[in-house]
């Protein structure tokens, strides 16, 4: 079965310090992986996506994620947190092949708090 | 270009009433998805339309939920009769190419439903 696990429900960092949001996935097929962000009372915005090209993926707002097949991980990082990064982040896997149509499976979400 | 738009953004109804949520996908997107997040749970897939046809409705919780996409343009999701456990956020999403690796799925801002 395919699944996504976000290892932390809440992460708190100080402004200007690095951000690490952890994600592990389980998939029988070659997955496509995404990170989405949801700011308070807003919709889901795509941060970045991995589609079997480069394993280090750069996204918007200075975020990046590295696909590590051996560790089945896709952690999200940012060198320096900004107050505007405070939001909920979702690691997502999309399944292709064998009749799958790209249905998304979401992790539980990680709430990022950024302290001044 | 307009994104995925959803209406209403917020709705408060009494248990037993009916609510209809509407989604307008990005123009030209054949794929339309409904997802929802009930309180304290993950975002879960409900169903997937390709044009006007239901491709996958495996996530629909029960027969109180009815989704339509007449003419392959906008979609509606009707909940009748609404129950307390239906409270949550209903997201609509659309994409251009079905099942293509790396296919980006664009989300709307969600319809926040509260059943009292």
């Amino acid at each position: 079965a395919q699944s996504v696990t976000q290892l932390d429900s809440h992460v708190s960092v100080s402004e200007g310090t690095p951000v690490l949001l952890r994600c592990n996935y389980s998939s029988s097929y070659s997955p496509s992986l995404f990170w989405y962000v949801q700011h308070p009372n807003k919709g889901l915005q795509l941060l970045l996506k991995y589609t079997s090209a480069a394993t280090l993926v750069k996204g918007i707002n200075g975020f990046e994620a590295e696909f590590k097949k051996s560790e089945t991980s896709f952690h999200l990082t940012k060198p320096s947190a900004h107050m505007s990064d405070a939001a909920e982040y979702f690691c997502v896997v999309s399944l292709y092949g064998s009749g799958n149509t790209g249905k998304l499976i979401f992790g539980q979400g990680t709430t990022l708090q950024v302290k001044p | 270009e307009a994104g995925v738009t959803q209406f209403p953004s917020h709705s408060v109804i009494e248990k037993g009433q009916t609510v209809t949520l509407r989604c307008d996908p990005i123009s030209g997107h054949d794929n339309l998805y409904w997802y929802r997040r009930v309180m304290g749970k993950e975002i879960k897939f409900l169903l997937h339309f390709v044009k006007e046809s239901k491709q996958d409705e495996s996530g629909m919780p029960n027969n109180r939920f009815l989704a339509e996409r007449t003419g392959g343009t906008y979609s509606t999701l009707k909940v009748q009769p609404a129950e307390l456990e239906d409270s949550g956020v209903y997201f609509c999403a659309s994409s251009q190419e079905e099942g293509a690796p790396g296919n980006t799925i664009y989300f709307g801002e969600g319809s926040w439903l509260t059943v009292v």
Side-chain angles (χ1 to χ4, degrees):
Chain A
Q2 292 75 26
S3 66
V4 176
T5 301
Q6 293 181 241
L7 300 170
D8 306 291
S9 58
H10 288 83
V11 170
S12 181
V13 301
S14 297
E15 189 175 21
T17 64
V19 176
L20 170 64
L21 305 183
R22 298 182 294 164
C23 172
N24 287 104
Y25 71 93
S26 172
S27 176
S28 303
Y29 308 100
S30 296
S32 289
L33 292 159
F34 306 80
W35 278 95
Y36 281 86
V37 61
Q38 185 180 20
H39 288 91
N41 298 317
K42 296 291 187 182
L44 292 161
Q45 180 184 21
L46 179 67
L47 274 180
L48 50 80
K49 63 181 180 183
Y50 164 77
T51 59
S52 75
T55 57
L56 182 62
V57 182
K58 294 188 184 299
I60 62 171
N61 301 333
F63 285 94
E64 62 182 38
E66 186 171 8
F67 174 72
K68 292 187 177 180
K69 186 175 181 179
S70 61
E71 299 177 9
T72 61
S73 70
F74 190 58
H75 301 334
L76 181 71
T77 60
K78 183 174 180 177
S80 176
H82 191 273
M83 295 298 293
S84 61
D85 295 327
E88 190 167 17
Y89 293 78
F90 296 93
C91 183
V92 182
V93 64
S94 180
L95 309 174
Y96 296 98
S98 296
N100 292 306
T101 60
K103 180 167 68 177
L104 301 181
I105 297 176
F106 283 77
Q108 302 90 329
T110 298
T111 299
L112 175 65
Q113 179 187 23
V114 182
K115 296 178 289 187
Chain B
E1 179 182 324
V4 177
T5 57
Q6 294 187 243
F7 182 83
S9 58
H10 291 80
S11 182
V12 180
I13 64 171
E14 292 184 352
K15 175 182 172 181
Q17 289 186 321
T18 298
V19 63
T20 300
L21 311 177
R22 172 172 169 145
C23 169
D24 287 79
I26 293 173
S27 178
H29 282 193
D30 288 339
N31 296 285
L32 187 148
Y33 306 83
W34 284 98
Y35 289 79
R36 78 168 179 175
R37 189 182 196 189
V38 296
M39 294 306 169
K41 300 289 183 66
E42 298 107 64
I43 299 172
K44 290 281 183 72
F45 168 84
L46 294 179
L47 86 160
H48 171 204
F49 284 99
V50 177
K51 297 183 181 178
E52 68 274 10
S53 300
K54 291 177 185 174
Q55 182 78 7
D56 181 352
E57 53 183 330
S58 60
M60 294 288 266
N62 52 60
N63 60 9
R64 295 186 294 103
F65 290 76
L66 175 64
E68 295 181 320
R69 193 183 182 193
T70 306
T73 55
Y74 71 91
S75 174
T76 58
L77 179 65
K78 181 190 288 188
V79 185
Q80 179 183 31
E83 297 289 345
L84 299 178
E85 64 264 26
D86 300 331
S87 296
V89 186
Y90 290 77
F91 291 104
C92 179
S94 72
S95 68
Q96 203 163 22
E97 294 180 33
E98 177 185 354
N103 191 22
T104 297
I105 298 178
Y106 297 91
F107 282 81
E109 296 204 345
S111 288
W112 303 70
L113 173 64
T114 302
V115 182
V116 296

